[in-house]
Amino acid sequence: MERIFVNAKIHSMNMDDPEFTQVLDKKYILFAFIRQPDKSFVIGNFPFVALNSDGLLNPTSELWNIVSPKLAVTFHSSTVPSRVCFLSTEEIRRLNKQTFQASTEVVSSSEQLLKSLAFMWQPRM
């Protein structure tokens, strides 16, 4: 139920809304790469979004879009406009779990990764 609420909230955002545009204007685009040769992202049909109390206005809110098996893009409001970062194994796993959970369709360059994520979300008897 929470997933439906979050997806509805995302879809209801009006990209022409001046407040939404102002929020994005204050954020930097960050390109997050995977260095580890044995790690990759799943690519889903929905981005990973974690909205906090003020939505995207809250600096701790997250909006991630996985664009390839080795690259994710996000917005951040750090005072240092770094444009590139490299993710740890834990961060990669967290983004994969969240992307898998938020999406209705996913693809991956790793069959093993898809199986591990699918196993986590299987109903337990």
Side-chain angles (χ1 to χ4, degrees), residues 67-124:
V67 295
S68 82
K70 296 287 186 180
L71 173 64
V73 178
T74 189
F75 297 96
H76 73 104
S77 48
S78 169
T79 56
V80 180
S82 59
R83 305 279 190 227
V84 175
C85 75
F86 297 95
L87 299 177
S88 69
T89 300
E90 294 78 22
E91 291 167 318
I92 295 164
R93 187 67 177 166
R94 182 180 73 90
L95 286 175
N96 278 335
K97 286 179 183 178
Q98 296 296 343
T99 300
F100 188 86
Q101 186 179 14
S103 297
T104 56
E105 297 177 27
V106 293
V107 295
S108 175
S109 58
S110 168
E111 182 179 349
Q112 181 181 358
L113 174 58
L114 283 177
K115 285 180 179 178
S116 72
L117 291 167
F119 180 76
M120 281 189 337
W121 299 111
Q122 255 182 354
R124 303 285 193 263

Short mmCIF file of all heavy atoms in Angstrom, two decimals, residues 67-124:
data_model
loop_
_atom_site.label_atom_id
_atom_site.label_comp_id
_atom_site.label_asym_id
_atom_site.label_seq_id
_atom_site.Cartn_x
_atom_site.Cartn_y
_atom_site.Cartn_z
N VAL A 67 20.43 4.48 -14.86
CA VAL A 67 20.41 4.64 -16.32
C VAL A 67 21.20 3.57 -17.07
O VAL A 67 21.05 3.44 -18.28
CB VAL A 67 20.87 6.06 -16.75
CG1 VAL A 67 19.89 7.10 -16.27
CG2 VAL A 67 22.26 6.37 -16.25
N SER A 68 22.05 2.84 -16.36
CA SER A 68 22.77 1.73 -16.97
C SER A 68 23.23 0.80 -15.85
O SER A 68 23.13 1.15 -14.68
CB SER A 68 23.98 2.25 -17.78
OG SER A 68 25.08 2.49 -16.94
N PRO A 69 23.74 -0.38 -16.20
CA PRO A 69 24.19 -1.29 -15.14
C PRO A 69 25.30 -0.72 -14.25
O PRO A 69 25.50 -1.21 -13.14
CB PRO A 69 24.70 -2.51 -15.92
CG PRO A 69 23.93 -2.48 -17.20
CD PRO A 69 23.77 -1.01 -17.52
N LYS A 70 25.98 0.32 -14.68
CA LYS A 70 27.08 0.88 -13.90
C LYS A 70 26.89 2.35 -13.55
O LYS A 70 27.79 2.96 -12.96
CB LYS A 70 28.41 0.73 -14.67
CG LYS A 70 28.84 -0.70 -14.91
CD LYS A 70 29.33 -1.35 -13.64
CE LYS A 70 29.88 -2.74 -13.92
NZ LYS A 70 30.35 -3.39 -12.73
N LEU A 71 25.74 2.96 -13.87
CA LEU A 71 25.55 4.40 -13.66
C LEU A 71 24.17 4.72 -13.12
O LEU A 71 23.16 4.27 -13.66
CB LEU A 71 25.77 5.16 -14.97
CG LEU A 71 25.46 6.66 -14.97
CD1 LEU A 71 26.38 7.42 -14.03
CD2 LEU A 71 25.55 7.20 -16.38
N ALA A 72 24.16 5.53 -12.06
CA ALA A 72 22.91 6.08 -11.51
C ALA A 72 23.05 7.59 -11.47
O ALA A 72 24.15 8.13 -11.34
CB ALA A 72 22.65 5.53 -10.12
N VAL A 73 21.93 8.28 -11.58
CA VAL A 73 21.92 9.74 -11.52
C VAL A 73 20.98 10.17 -10.41
O VAL A 73 19.90 9.59 -10.24
CB VAL A 73 21.45 10.34 -12.87
CG1 VAL A 73 21.38 11.85 -12.80
CG2 VAL A 73 22.37 9.90 -13.99
N THR A 74 21.39 11.16 -9.65
CA THR A 74 20.55 11.69 -8.58
C THR A 74 20.75 13.19 -8.48
O THR A 74 21.59 13.77 -9.15
CB THR A 74 20.88 11.01 -7.22
OG1 THR A 74 19.91 11.41 -6.25
CG2 THR A 74 22.26 11.37 -6.73
N PHE A 75 19.94 13.80 -7.65
CA PHE A 75 20.08 15.23 -7.34
C PHE A 75 20.50 15.33 -5.88
O PHE A 75 20.00 14.60 -5.04
CB PHE A 75 18.75 15.96 -7.51
CG PHE A 75 18.25 15.92 -8.93
CD1 PHE A 75 17.33 14.98 -9.33
CD2 PHE A 75 18.71 16.83 -9.86
CE1 PHE A 75 16.87 14.94 -10.64
CE2 PHE A 75 18.25 16.81 -11.17
CZ PHE A 75 17.34 15.85 -11.56
N HIS A 76 21.41 16.24 -5.57
CA HIS A 76 21.79 16.42 -4.18
C HIS A 76 21.96 17.90 -3.89
O HIS A 76 22.19 18.70 -4.80
CB HIS A 76 23.05 15.61 -3.84
CG HIS A 76 24.31 16.16 -4.41
ND1 HIS A 76 25.22 16.84 -3.65
CD2 HIS A 76 24.81 16.16 -5.66
CE1 HIS A 76 26.23 17.22 -4.41
NE2 HIS A 76 26.01 16.82 -5.64
N SER A 77 21.82 18.24 -2.64
CA SER A 77 21.87 19.65 -2.26
C SER A 77 23.10 19.98 -1.42
O SER A 77 23.07 20.88 -0.61
CB SER A 77 20.59 20.04 -1.53
OG SER A 77 20.29 19.11 -0.53
N SER A 78 24.15 19.26 -1.63
CA SER A 78 25.39 19.53 -0.92
C SER A 78 25.93 20.91 -1.29
O SER A 78 25.66 21.41 -2.38
CB SER A 78 26.42 18.46 -1.29
OG SER A 78 27.69 18.82 -0.84
N THR A 79 26.67 21.49 -0.40
CA THR A 79 27.29 22.78 -0.70
C THR A 79 28.49 22.61 -1.63
O THR A 79 28.97 23.57 -2.20
CB THR A 79 27.74 23.49 0.60
OG1 THR A 79 28.62 22.63 1.30
CG2 THR A 79 26.55 23.85 1.45
N VAL A 80 28.97 21.39 -1.75
CA VAL A 80 30.07 21.10 -2.66
C VAL A 80 29.48 20.50 -3.93
O VAL A 80 28.92 19.41 -3.90
CB VAL A 80 31.07 20.10 -2.02
CG1 VAL A 80 32.20 19.80 -2.98
CG2 VAL A 80 31.58 20.64 -0.70
N PRO A 81 29.58 21.21 -5.04
CA PRO A 81 28.94 20.71 -6.27
C PRO A 81 29.73 19.61 -6.96
O PRO A 81 30.06 19.70 -8.13
CB PRO A 81 28.85 21.96 -7.14
CG PRO A 81 30.01 22.80 -6.71
CD PRO A 81 30.19 22.52 -5.24
N SER A 82 30.05 18.54 -6.21
CA SER A 82 30.74 17.42 -6.84
C SER A 82 29.79 16.78 -7.84
O SER A 82 28.59 16.71 -7.61
CB SER A 82 31.20 16.41 -5.79
OG SER A 82 30.11 15.93 -5.07
N ARG A 83 30.31 16.33 -8.91
CA ARG A 83 29.48 15.80 -9.99
C ARG A 83 29.56 14.28 -10.13
O ARG A 83 28.73 13.68 -10.78
CB ARG A 83 29.89 16.43 -11.32
CG ARG A 83 29.87 17.92 -11.32
CD ARG A 83 28.48 18.42 -11.53
NE ARG A 83 28.52 19.86 -11.77
CZ ARG A 83 27.73 20.72 -11.18
NH1 ARG A 83 26.82 20.30 -10.33
NH2 ARG A 83 27.80 21.99 -11.45
N VAL A 84 30.58 13.66 -9.52
CA VAL A 84 30.80 12.23 -9.69
C VAL A 84 31.11 11.61 -8.33
O VAL A 84 31.82 12.20 -7.53
CB VAL A 84 31.99 11.97 -10.66
CG1 VAL A 84 32.31 10.50 -10.75
CG2 VAL A 84 31.69 12.53 -12.04
N CYS A 85 30.57 10.43 -8.10
CA CYS A 85 30.94 9.66 -6.91
C CYS A 85 30.96 8.19 -7.28
O CYS A 85 30.45 7.78 -8.32
CB CYS A 85 30.00 9.94 -5.74
SG CYS A 85 28.39 9.15 -5.88
N PHE A 86 31.58 7.41 -6.43
CA PHE A 86 31.64 5.96 -6.60
C PHE A 86 30.96 5.33 -5.40
O PHE A 86 31.23 5.72 -4.26
CB PHE A 86 33.09 5.49 -6.75
CG PHE A 86 33.75 6.06 -7.97
CD1 PHE A 86 34.51 7.21 -7.88
CD2 PHE A 86 33.56 5.47 -9.20
CE1 PHE A 86 35.11 7.76 -9.00
CE2 PHE A 86 34.14 6.01 -10.34
CZ PHE A 86 34.91 7.16 -10.24
N LEU A 87 30.08 4.39 -5.65
CA LEU A 87 29.26 3.82 -4.59
C LEU A 87 29.89 2.58 -3.96
O LEU A 87 30.53 1.79 -4.65
CB LEU A 87 27.88 3.46 -5.13
CG LEU A 87 27.07 4.64 -5.70
CD1 LEU A 87 25.76 4.14 -6.27
CD2 LEU A 87 26.83 5.68 -4.63
N SER A 88 29.64 2.43 -2.67
CA SER A 88 30.10 1.24 -1.95
C SER A 88 29.18 0.06 -2.28
O SER A 88 28.08 0.24 -2.81
CB SER A 88 30.09 1.49 -0.45
OG SER A 88 28.75 1.60 0.01
N THR A 89 29.60 -1.12 -1.92
CA THR A 89 28.79 -2.32 -2.12
C THR A 89 27.45 -2.19 -1.40
O THR A 89 26.41 -2.57 -1.94
CB THR A 89 29.56 -3.56 -1.62
OG1 THR A 89 30.78 -3.66 -2.37
CG2 THR A 89 28.75 -4.83 -1.79
N GLU A 90 27.46 -1.63 -0.19
CA GLU A 90 26.23 -1.46 0.59
C GLU A 90 25.27 -0.48 -0.10
O GLU A 90 24.06 -0.71 -0.14
CB GLU A 90 26.54 -0.97 2.01
CG GLU A 90 27.29 -1.97 2.86
CD GLU A 90 28.79 -2.06 2.54
OE1 GLU A 90 29.35 -1.09 1.97
OE2 GLU A 90 29.38 -3.10 2.84
N GLU A 91 25.81 0.61 -0.63
CA GLU A 91 24.96 1.58 -1.33
C GLU A 91 24.37 0.99 -2.61
O GLU A 91 23.20 1.23 -2.93
CB GLU A 91 25.78 2.84 -1.67
CG GLU A 91 26.17 3.64 -0.45
CD GLU A 91 27.21 4.70 -0.75
OE1 GLU A 91 28.17 4.42 -1.51
OE2 GLU A 91 27.06 5.82 -0.23
N ILE A 92 25.16 0.21 -3.32
CA ILE A 92 24.67 -0.45 -4.54
C ILE A 92 23.53 -1.39 -4.19
O ILE A 92 22.48 -1.37 -4.84
CB ILE A 92 25.81 -1.23 -5.23
CG1 ILE A 92 26.90 -0.27 -5.71
CG2 ILE A 92 25.27 -2.08 -6.38
CD1 ILE A 92 28.22 -0.95 -6.05
N ARG A 93 23.70 -2.18 -3.16
CA ARG A 93 22.66 -3.14 -2.76
C ARG A 93 21.39 -2.41 -2.33
O ARG A 93 20.28 -2.81 -2.69
CB ARG A 93 23.19 -4.03 -1.62
CG ARG A 93 22.25 -5.16 -1.26
CD ARG A 93 22.16 -6.14 -2.39
NE ARG A 93 21.31 -7.27 -2.01
CZ ARG A 93 20.84 -8.15 -2.86
NH1 ARG A 93 21.14 -8.07 -4.14
NH2 ARG A 93 20.09 -9.14 -2.45
N ARG A 94 21.54 -1.32 -1.57
CA ARG A 94 20.38 -0.55 -1.13
C ARG A 94 19.61 0.02 -2.33
O ARG A 94 18.38 -0.11 -2.40
CB ARG A 94 20.82 0.59 -0.22
CG ARG A 94 19.66 1.42 0.33
CD ARG A 94 20.15 2.55 1.23
NE ARG A 94 20.77 3.61 0.46
CZ ARG A 94 20.12 4.65 -0.03
NH1 ARG A 94 18.82 4.77 0.14
NH2 ARG A 94 20.75 5.59 -0.71
N LEU A 95 20.31 0.59 -3.29
CA LEU A 95 19.64 1.13 -4.48
C LEU A 95 18.98 0.02 -5.29
O LEU A 95 17.87 0.21 -5.81
CB LEU A 95 20.61 1.91 -5.35
CG LEU A 95 21.01 3.28 -4.82
CD1 LEU A 95 22.07 3.92 -5.71
CD2 LEU A 95 19.80 4.19 -4.71
N ASN A 96 19.63 -1.13 -5.41
CA ASN A 96 19.03 -2.24 -6.14
C ASN A 96 17.76 -2.73 -5.47
O ASN A 96 16.74 -2.98 -6.13
CB ASN A 96 20.03 -3.39 -6.30
CG ASN A 96 20.98 -3.16 -7.45
OD1 ASN A 96 20.67 -2.43 -8.39
ND2 ASN A 96 22.14 -3.77 -7.38
N LYS A 97 17.79 -2.86 -4.14
CA LYS A 97 16.59 -3.29 -3.41
C LYS A 97 15.45 -2.31 -3.60
O LYS A 97 14.31 -2.70 -3.87
CB LYS A 97 16.89 -3.42 -1.91
CG LYS A 97 17.72 -4.60 -1.52
CD LYS A 97 17.96 -4.56 0.00
CE LYS A 97 18.85 -5.66 0.47
NZ LYS A 97 19.09 -5.58 1.93
N GLN A 98 15.76 -1.03 -3.45
CA GLN A 98 14.72 0.00 -3.56
C GLN A 98 14.18 0.11 -4.99
O GLN A 98 12.98 0.28 -5.19
CB GLN A 98 15.26 1.35 -3.09
CG GLN A 98 15.64 1.38 -1.63
CD GLN A 98 14.46 1.17 -0.69
OE1 GLN A 98 13.32 1.31 -1.07
NE2 GLN A 98 14.75 0.83 0.55
N THR A 99 15.04 0.02 -5.98
CA THR A 99 14.60 0.08 -7.37
C THR A 99 13.74 -1.13 -7.70
O THR A 99 12.69 -1.00 -8.33
CB THR A 99 15.82 0.13 -8.33
OG1 THR A 99 16.58 1.30 -8.03
CG2 THR A 99 15.38 0.17 -9.78
N PHE A 100 14.15 -2.30 -7.24
CA PHE A 100 13.38 -3.52 -7.47
C PHE A 100 12.00 -3.42 -6.84
O PHE A 100 11.00 -3.77 -7.45
CB PHE A 100 14.15 -4.73 -6.91
CG PHE A 100 13.54 -6.05 -7.27
CD1 PHE A 100 13.86 -6.67 -8.46
CD2 PHE A 100 12.65 -6.68 -6.41
CE1 PHE A 100 13.29 -7.90 -8.80
CE2 PHE A 100 12.09 -7.90 -6.73
CZ PHE A 100 12.41 -8.51 -7.94
N GLN A 101 11.95 -2.89 -5.62
CA GLN A 101 10.68 -2.78 -4.91
C GLN A 101 9.76 -1.74 -5.55
O GLN A 101 8.55 -1.92 -5.60
CB GLN A 101 10.94 -2.43 -3.45
CG GLN A 101 9.69 -2.44 -2.60
CD GLN A 101 9.98 -2.12 -1.15
OE1 GLN A 101 11.04 -1.64 -0.79
NE2 GLN A 101 9.01 -2.38 -0.30
N ALA A 102 10.33 -0.63 -6.04
CA ALA A 102 9.52 0.45 -6.59
C ALA A 102 9.00 0.17 -8.00
O ALA A 102 8.01 0.76 -8.43
CB ALA A 102 10.33 1.75 -6.61
N SER A 103 9.64 -0.73 -8.72
CA SER A 103 9.33 -0.94 -10.13
C SER A 103 8.41 -2.13 -10.35
O SER A 103 8.37 -3.05 -9.54
CB SER A 103 10.63 -1.15 -10.92
OG SER A 103 11.43 0.01 -10.85
N THR A 104 7.72 -2.08 -11.46
CA THR A 104 6.90 -3.22 -11.86
C THR A 104 7.60 -4.05 -12.93
O THR A 104 7.21 -5.17 -13.20
CB THR A 104 5.53 -2.75 -12.40
OG1 THR A 104 5.74 -1.84 -13.47
CG2 THR A 104 4.72 -2.08 -11.30
N GLU A 105 8.64 -3.47 -13.55
CA GLU A 105 9.45 -4.18 -14.53
C GLU A 105 10.91 -3.84 -14.26
O GLU A 105 11.26 -2.68 -14.06
CB GLU A 105 9.09 -3.76 -15.95
CG GLU A 105 7.66 -4.09 -16.33
CD GLU A 105 7.30 -3.59 -17.72
OE1 GLU A 105 8.20 -3.46 -18.57
OE2 GLU A 105 6.12 -3.32 -17.94
N VAL A 106 11.76 -4.85 -14.26
CA VAL A 106 13.20 -4.63 -14.05
C VAL A 106 14.00 -5.48 -15.03
O VAL A 106 13.54 -6.54 -15.47
CB VAL A 106 13.66 -4.95 -12.61
CG1 VAL A 106 13.08 -3.98 -11.62
CG2 VAL A 106 13.36 -6.37 -12.24
N VAL A 107 15.19 -4.99 -15.36
CA VAL A 107 16.14 -5.75 -16.17
C VAL A 107 17.50 -5.65 -15.49
O VAL A 107 17.75 -4.72 -14.72
CB VAL A 107 16.23 -5.25 -17.63
CG1 VAL A 107 14.92 -5.45 -18.35
CG2 VAL A 107 16.66 -3.81 -17.68
N SER A 108 18.36 -6.59 -15.83
CA SER A 108 19.69 -6.59 -15.25
C SER A 108 20.63 -7.32 -16.18
O SER A 108 20.22 -8.22 -16.91
CB SER A 108 19.69 -7.26 -13.89
OG SER A 108 21.00 -7.37 -13.38
N SER A 109 21.90 -6.95 -16.12
CA SER A 109 22.91 -7.69 -16.86
C SER A 109 23.35 -8.93 -16.08
O SER A 109 24.13 -9.72 -16.58
CB SER A 109 24.12 -6.78 -17.15
OG SER A 109 24.65 -6.29 -15.94
N SER A 110 22.82 -9.09 -14.86
CA SER A 110 23.20 -10.21 -14.00
C SER A 110 21.96 -11.03 -13.62
O SER A 110 21.11 -10.56 -12.86
CB SER A 110 23.88 -9.69 -12.74
OG SER A 110 24.00 -10.71 -11.78
N GLU A 111 21.92 -12.25 -14.10
CA GLU A 111 20.82 -13.14 -13.73
C GLU A 111 20.85 -13.44 -12.24
O GLU A 111 19.81 -13.49 -11.58
CB GLU A 111 20.92 -14.44 -14.54
CG GLU A 111 19.78 -15.41 -14.26
CD GLU A 111 19.88 -16.68 -15.08
OE1 GLU A 111 20.70 -16.75 -16.01
OE2 GLU A 111 19.13 -17.61 -14.77
N GLN A 112 22.05 -13.58 -11.69
CA GLN A 112 22.21 -13.85 -10.26
C GLN A 112 21.63 -12.71 -9.41
O GLN A 112 20.98 -12.95 -8.39
CB GLN A 112 23.68 -14.07 -9.93
CG GLN A 112 23.95 -14.39 -8.48
CD GLN A 112 25.44 -14.58 -8.21
OE1 GLN A 112 26.27 -14.52 -9.10
NE2 GLN A 112 25.76 -14.81 -6.94
N LEU A 113 21.86 -11.47 -9.81
CA LEU A 113 21.33 -10.32 -9.10
C LEU A 113 19.80 -10.34 -9.10
O LEU A 113 19.16 -10.16 -8.06
CB LEU A 113 21.85 -9.02 -9.71
CG LEU A 113 21.26 -7.72 -9.16
CD1 LEU A 113 21.48 -7.59 -7.66
CD2 LEU A 113 21.86 -6.53 -9.92
N LEU A 114 19.21 -10.58 -10.26
CA LEU A 114 17.74 -10.63 -10.34
C LEU A 114 17.17 -11.73 -9.45
O LEU A 114 16.18 -11.53 -8.76
CB LEU A 114 17.28 -10.85 -11.79
CG LEU A 114 17.32 -9.64 -12.69
CD1 LEU A 114 16.91 -10.02 -14.11
CD2 LEU A 114 16.46 -8.51 -12.16
N LYS A 115 17.81 -12.90 -9.46
CA LYS A 115 17.34 -14.00 -8.62
C LYS A 115 17.42 -13.65 -7.14
O LYS A 115 16.51 -13.95 -6.37
CB LYS A 115 18.14 -15.27 -8.90
CG LYS A 115 17.77 -15.94 -10.21
CD LYS A 115 18.59 -17.20 -10.43
CE LYS A 115 18.20 -17.87 -11.73
NZ LYS A 115 19.01 -19.07 -11.99
N SER A 116 18.51 -12.98 -6.73
CA SER A 116 18.65 -12.64 -5.31
C SER A 116 17.60 -11.62 -4.89
O SER A 116 17.05 -11.70 -3.79
CB SER A 116 20.05 -12.14 -5.00
OG SER A 116 20.26 -10.84 -5.52
N LEU A 117 17.30 -10.66 -5.74
CA LEU A 117 16.28 -9.67 -5.42
C LEU A 117 14.88 -10.28 -5.42
O LEU A 117 14.07 -10.00 -4.55
CB LEU A 117 16.35 -8.49 -6.40
CG LEU A 117 17.60 -7.62 -6.26
CD1 LEU A 117 17.73 -6.69 -7.46
CD2 LEU A 117 17.57 -6.83 -4.96
N ALA A 118 14.62 -11.14 -6.40
CA ALA A 118 13.31 -11.80 -6.46
C ALA A 118 13.09 -12.70 -5.25
O ALA A 118 11.99 -12.74 -4.69
CB ALA A 118 13.19 -12.61 -7.75
N PHE A 119 14.12 -13.37 -4.81
CA PHE A 119 14.02 -14.25 -3.64
C PHE A 119 13.66 -13.44 -2.39
O PHE A 119 12.88 -13.88 -1.56
CB PHE A 119 15.32 -15.03 -3.43
CG PHE A 119 15.27 -15.94 -2.23
CD1 PHE A 119 14.59 -17.14 -2.28
CD2 PHE A 119 15.90 -15.58 -1.05
CE1 PHE A 119 14.53 -17.97 -1.17
CE2 PHE A 119 15.85 -16.40 0.06
CZ PHE A 119 15.16 -17.60 0.00
N MET A 120 14.24 -12.24 -2.26
CA MET A 120 13.95 -11.40 -1.09
C MET A 120 12.48 -11.01 -1.01
O MET A 120 11.95 -10.85 0.07
CB MET A 120 14.77 -10.10 -1.14
CG MET A 120 16.18 -10.24 -0.73
SD MET A 120 17.03 -8.68 -0.57
CE MET A 120 16.11 -7.56 -1.58
N TRP A 121 11.82 -10.83 -2.15
CA TRP A 121 10.45 -10.33 -2.16
C TRP A 121 9.43 -11.45 -2.34
O TRP A 121 8.24 -11.18 -2.46
CB TRP A 121 10.27 -9.27 -3.24
CG TRP A 121 11.18 -8.11 -2.96
CD1 TRP A 121 12.26 -7.75 -3.68
CD2 TRP A 121 11.11 -7.20 -1.87
NE1 TRP A 121 12.88 -6.68 -3.12
CE2 TRP A 121 12.20 -6.31 -2.00
CE3 TRP A 121 10.25 -7.05 -0.78
CZ2 TRP A 121 12.44 -5.28 -1.09
CZ3 TRP A 121 10.51 -6.01 0.12
CH2 TRP A 121 11.58 -5.15 -0.05
N GLN A 122 9.89 -12.70 -2.36
CA GLN A 122 8.96 -13.83 -2.46
C GLN A 122 8.16 -13.95 -1.19
O GLN A 122 8.69 -13.78 -0.09
CB GLN A 122 9.75 -15.13 -2.64
CG GLN A 122 9.72 -15.68 -4.00
CD GLN A 122 10.49 -17.00 -4.07
OE1 GLN A 122 11.13 -17.42 -3.10
NE2 GLN A 122 10.43 -17.64 -5.19
N PRO A 123 6.87 -14.24 -1.30
CA PRO A 123 6.08 -14.47 -0.07
C PRO A 123 6.61 -15.69 0.67
O PRO A 123 6.89 -16.72 0.06
CB PRO A 123 4.67 -14.73 -0.58
CG PRO A 123 4.66 -14.38 -2.01
CD PRO A 123 6.09 -14.34 -2.50
N ARG A 124 6.80 -15.58 1.95
CA ARG A 124 7.29 -16.69 2.78
C ARG A 124 6.09 -17.46 3.35
O ARG A 124 5.12 -16.88 3.78
CB ARG A 124 8.14 -16.16 3.94
CG ARG A 124 9.31 -15.31 3.52
CD ARG A 124 10.44 -16.19 2.96
NE ARG A 124 11.68 -15.46 2.82
CZ ARG A 124 12.11 -14.89 1.71
NH1 ARG A 124 11.38 -14.93 0.62
NH2 ARG A 124 13.27 -14.26 1.66
#
